[in-house]
Amino acid sequence: MSAPGKLPRWAELGLLPVINLVVALLISGVVIKLLGESPVAAFKLMAAGSVGTQEGIGYTLYYATNFIFTGLAVAVASHAGLFNIGAEGQAYIGGLGTGLVCLWLGAWPFWAVLPLAVLAGAGFGAAWAFIPAYLQAKRGSHIVITTIMFNFIAASLMTYLLVNVLIKPGQQSPESREFAVNAWMPSATDVLARVGVTFAATPLNLAFGFALGAAVLVWLFVWRTRWGYALRVAGENPAAAVYAGIAPPRVIIGAMLLSGALAGGLGLNELMGSQHRILMDFPSGAGFVGIAVALMGRNHPAGIIVAAVLFGALYQGGSQLSFDMPKINRDMVVVIQGLVILLCGAMENVFKAPLAALFAKFGAKPGVG
Amino acid sequence: MSDEAGSATAPGRNSDGAAGAARAPALELRAIDKRFGAVHANRAISFAVAAGSIHGLIGENGAGKSTLMNIIYGFHRADAGEILVHGRKVDITSPQGAIAAGIGMVHQHFMLVENFTVLENVVLGVEGGALLAGGLTAARRELEKLARDYGLEVPLDSMISELSVGLQQRVEILKALYRRAEILILDEPTAVLTPQEADQLFKMLGRLREQGKAIILVTHKLREIMAITDRVTVMRQGAVVAEVMTKKTSPRGLAEKMVGRAVLLQVDKCPATPGVALLSVTDLEVRDRLGVPRVKGVSFELRAGEIVGVAGVAGNGQSELLEALAGIREPSRGEIRLGGRELVREQLDARARRALGLAHVPEDRLRMGVVASFSAEANAMLGYHDRPRYGRGLFLDGAASLAGCEAKMKEFDVRPAQPALRISAFSGGNQQKLVLAREIDADPSVLLIGQPTRGVDIGAIEFIHRRLIALRDAGKALLVVSVELDEILGLADRILVMNGGEIIGELARAEATEEKIGLMMAGVRGEGGA
């Protein structure tokens, strides 16, 4: 029996997100109009600001790097049937690991600091995810609740550490001293200069490459390994997993460790690559944007990269917009981002049924999938 | 016969039937047509059911029976065609509309509120006012009369949860009659009943027929069609392929019409030559999550070269027994021995048991045996994905899993032979063939099979039974759990009957009769009882 709402695969993966995005922008346009600005001019400004210049592109990809890490984190957990809302906290604590390595071992050569910083970031993030994972696997505490709570605990812990322990002596603002230059992630400008390309100075750095590498590894892991297979079985049908001799508690813990480790990659970009110090609230919501990115990217690494770049462009274009249009302030940009998250993430299937009806009406054969 | 009897006895209840003319049928379908996207579920279906008759509707899974019944009951709307009730065209758009037109339906899965009394369940939705008390008193009078008229005695003040399945079904029938149903649709009504309960149901249906009700019996059991219906409509691939008087046909003839080719209802087999015990179970107790024992101290042996059937009404501990043997449920007591190992004490999980040569085809395929959203290829290695043949080290080998799936599809004639197709797009029979192929492929010494042919069409049943008997002849030990008594009788060399979590009796195939097993299923201890 064909259930209503079956769409051809290309429409499901390609057309539907575009429709959602367009509707979100249309609603945003109405709001901009109500504020007395021209929507067309506003969107032109956003586009120009995010992808129109080298600076724009640099910033867009710099933001996207964070979203790729957190999007992958949410996606891996999601394949195991877990809704990890804690990428924010895992990224925060993971960043602490990276930051500590950079602070303490900054005198070491970069090639020695880098692997340790990566491992520390992944390890700290994974450790922070382990506690909710263990509670879910062995005690049945719902992972959504525990990961939310662990975001708050992470924030409090980091505030304590920054205010009381890591703060640079004789300074007012709660942040650590700057990392030694050896522990800085090479910027895109420097890297490209080596191969003879001049690129504008932006916070974009080598961490973007790590994010892309992580996406490839996640793809390999989920679809090409026995563990990934077990993870997907447990996520799709826990009863079938037990039947097949796959222990769901082990999958839950393994998937969350991996998820936390991926979220921990954010520190490479934000701390090692851009801020060069540990500071308050550096994930600034990327963990939550990761949820929307994973939803929009259908939990597939390729989709996540596309969605992350889109959200990066929204962030960068939004900053440009609030800078250039006096009537549109920072909060209005958050409204636009919120609408995109709402329509592409939370309400992703709203237009699915009407679209499917349209396809059925015009005789397009529903494909498999 | 029914046609003449109908027109002779009925005092012309319908208003627009002209005197002298043949009375209009209670329910008539004219060219009902329904598509779901690319699937043509019903193709110009026409048939008529006379008042005071029982009309059988049979067909394989996916033949369109359920769709048709859902159209009559207002869950779906037909794309084209007409429904006439007592000669008048009706437009049924909801179950409420169907009830108003005098159509009642007894679903396979009962629609009852467990912690309400029988009386409360019957009046649910037709309370007749904001205050319950008055409605309940009137309903009680009415129900007592109905119960007398039709022999449908049910304790009105008992909770539904206290009633047996047979009585719950009676409540469903009463619900329909209380809503003045003249046309009653029963969807696979005997699936959950013991043979004796089924007989009682048929007696009840007989009385309803005498009272002039029109009854549609939807089933896939040919025996029931032959036993009770007056006429039978056979559906195949969404279309009516035959409509015949029941007494002018035979089970074999009906089966052929259903499948579209000749089928064997009973697979021939030679007597078993059991060898050594491969699996032995001692004093096994299994408790559910609430700590209630579901299997109470069961002991038996499974020998090489035999098929042991476990019969019983669904919910008497067979499922828990099967899952405990397969390593899915942890027993609270007892031993399971296989290949010199003790599985319970060593806490071997399903994977470890597979390595010891114990394969398992689960009762509920879609819940446990496959991952519905995965391709056939991914499902064809479920449980065996960590074997060397499917990859190297941590990595899976896509070519190996594809080749494995293609080989299984070929050997078990799984159609369509498309490994990339999502498993949920296959029919129940083809899903089951793939699961069976997967479990047999690893060459197990012991095979546990729950409901081998549930939701499987007749053509595939024959195929599956043949394969199981071939396995037996190859010296494997098979345990078959089935609620289909015909299947147990057709396959098993030895039959264990379960009731209330115990093995209440054991019968050799030669001494087993449907009646004996039926009594044991109902809890009457057999002479060979444990």
Side-chain angles (χ1 to χ4, degrees), chain B residues 121-142:
Chain B
N121 264 287
V122 171
V123 294
L124 191 65
V126 285
E127 295 88 348
L131 292 175
L132 264 182
L136 282 181
T137 317
R140 185 184 297 277
R141 267 200 305 277
E142 169 96 26

Side-chain angles (χ1 to χ4, degrees), chain B residues 87-139:
Chain B
R88 253 199 309 258
K89 187 168 177 272
V90 290
D91 187 27
I92 298 169
T93 55
S94 67
Q96 286 75 27
I99 291 165
I103 299 171
M105 183 146 172
V106 176
H107 297 269
Q108 192 174 355
H109 303 286
F110 303 149
M111 311 276 175
L112 296 169
V113 185
E114 291 268 318
N115 54 352
F116 273 24
T117 65
V118 171
L119 187 63
E120 286 165 341
N121 264 287
V122 171
V123 294
L124 191 65
V126 285
E127 295 88 348
L131 292 175
L132 264 182
L136 282 181
T137 317

Side-chain angles (χ1 to χ4, degrees), chain B residues 136-209:
Chain B
L136 282 181
T137 317
R140 185 184 297 277
R141 267 200 305 277
E142 169 96 26
L143 283 173
E144 278 164 357
K145 182 174 177 302
L146 282 173
R148 267 199 313 279
D149 289 353
Y150 298 109
L152 279 165
E153 271 83 14
V154 186
L156 290 180
D157 297 310
S158 297
M159 294 278 185
I160 292 296
S161 52
E162 296 165 2
L163 300 183
S164 70
V165 177
L167 280 178
Q168 289 185 19
Q169 192 173 54
R170 251 182 222 196
V171 176
E172 283 283 12
I173 296 173
L174 267 181
K175 253 168 74 179
L177 294 176
Y178 182 72
R179 286 160 177 72
R180 314 228 178 278
E182 288 298 315
I183 301 154
L184 203 55
I185 303 169
L186 294 107
D187 186 10
E188 300 282 357
T190 61
V192 290
L193 304 182
T194 63
Q196 282 80 3
E197 281 177 320
D199 284 346
Q200 282 180 356
L201 172 71
F202 290 159
K203 279 196 196 115
M204 220 145 55
L205 294 182
R207 272 193 293 273
L208 290 170
R209 163 166 59 188

Side-chain angles (χ1 to χ4, degrees), chain A residues 1-2 220 224-227 229 232-233 236-237 239-240 242-246 368-369, chain B residues 36 350 354 360 367-368 370-371 373 378 382 385-387 391 393-394 396 422 438-439:
Chain A
M1 257 352 63
S2 77
L220 267 175
R224 287 292 180 269
T225 67
R226 301 181 201 259
W227 288 355
Y229 178 85
R232 286 185 294 128
V233 170
E236 287 285 337
N237 185 344
V242 175
Y243 162 78
I246 300 163
V368 176
Chain B
F36 294 101
R354 280 201 177 85
H360 174 208
R367 196 179 71 79
M368 191 176 275
V370 298
V371 180
S373 58
L382 183 67
H385 61 278
D386 53 356
R387 300 252 162 135
L394 180 61
L396 286 168
R422 201 185 266 234
R438 179 182 75 205
E439 297 304 316

Side-chain angles (χ1 to χ4, degrees), chain A residues 70-80 218 231 259 290 294 298-301 304:
Chain A
T70 54
L72 289 173
V74 174
V76 166
S78 179
H79 279 294
V218 165
L231 180 117
S259 180
R298 302 275 160 165
N299 293 325
H300 192 287
I304 286 169

Side-chain angles (χ1 to χ4, degrees), chain B residues 416-451:
Chain B
Q418 292 172 18
L421 191 59
R422 201 185 266 234
I423 194 77
S424 55
F426 288 83
S427 72
N430 283 302
Q431 289 172 1
Q432 185 75 335
K433 282 197 267 184
L434 192 68
V435 171
L436 202 60
R438 179 182 75 205
E439 297 304 316
I440 292 174
D441 187 58
D443 193 31
S445 57
V446 177
L447 182 60
L448 310 171
I449 312 148
Q451 316 299 345

